[in-house]
Amino acid sequence: GDPARPAQPDHSGHLDAAGLPPRSRFAWCITGSGHYLEESIALAARLPALDLFLSDAAEEVLPIYKMPLEELRPRFAPGFRLVRDKPASAVPVGMLYDDVYHTVVIAPATSNTVAKCVVGISDTLPTNMFAQAGKLGIPGIVFACDTEPVVVTKSPHDWVTLRPRRDELDNVERLREIELSQGIGCPAELEAALK
């Protein structure tokens, strides 16, 4: 187990492969979106038991938004793990099979990630986590960026107005129809879903 977090058995005394009670943590995935990125990280940091899964695009975007990886660690509770999308076969997804996570969150999620989740493409760490979680009966929460006809969002340098296309808006609706999945459109909805 993690020395910063002593293992606690559940009522049956069972501990998972990581020395944690079954389904005791959030798996929080970040994609390459800057839309509500700061708010998403702030919500994630308030959770007591969480691991952060980064796509390659997230690793590129975080420093652009002045959140380099080395500055993320101190924001999270002891026992926090940072998982990067480096192996070609998405080995970190196997952590779902260890029965550690009760919920997979993708926040924020690009329109590309939402589209992939909708059609079942699993070629990034977040989309792979979403697909495998569904197959294992683990609920998924996806905070989609493109949920309204007009979206005002913060770019690295300024605020911009975007007009999502009909396909992007339709994909959010399709996402909401996927079993065990919640499509979220704003930070308040995300916070409510996490509770």
Side-chain angles (χ1 to χ4, degrees), residues 52-94:
L52 201 59
F53 294 79
L54 303 180
S55 69
D56 284 339
E59 285 201 49
E60 291 177 1
V61 167
L62 283 164
I64 293 170
Y65 282 83
K66 299 183 177 25
M67 288 184 264
L69 296 184
E70 60 274 6
E71 292 180 17
L72 279 182
R73 288 189 186 280
R75 296 175 73 170
F76 292 91
F80 155 78
R81 294 178 285 194
L82 181 66
V83 183
R84 300 164 78 184
D85 195 0
K86 295 305 173 197
S89 61
V91 170
V93 174

Side-chain angles (χ1 to χ4, degrees), residues 11 29 38 65 74 96 111 121 133 136-137 149 158 186:
H11 65 278
C29 305
E38 293 174 21
Y65 282 83
L96 286 169
S111 59
I121 296 173
L136 291 166
D158 205 351
C186 69

Side-chain angles (χ1 to χ4, degrees), residues 126-141:
T127 56
N128 227 315
M129 292 289 287
F130 179 82
Q132 293 303 312
K135 294 175 187 179
L136 291 166
I138 299 170
I141 299 171

Side-chain angles (χ1 to χ4, degrees), residues 177-188:
E177 295 170 6
I178 296 174
E179 187 177 357
L180 294 173
S181 174
Q182 290 184 56
I184 303 297
C186 69

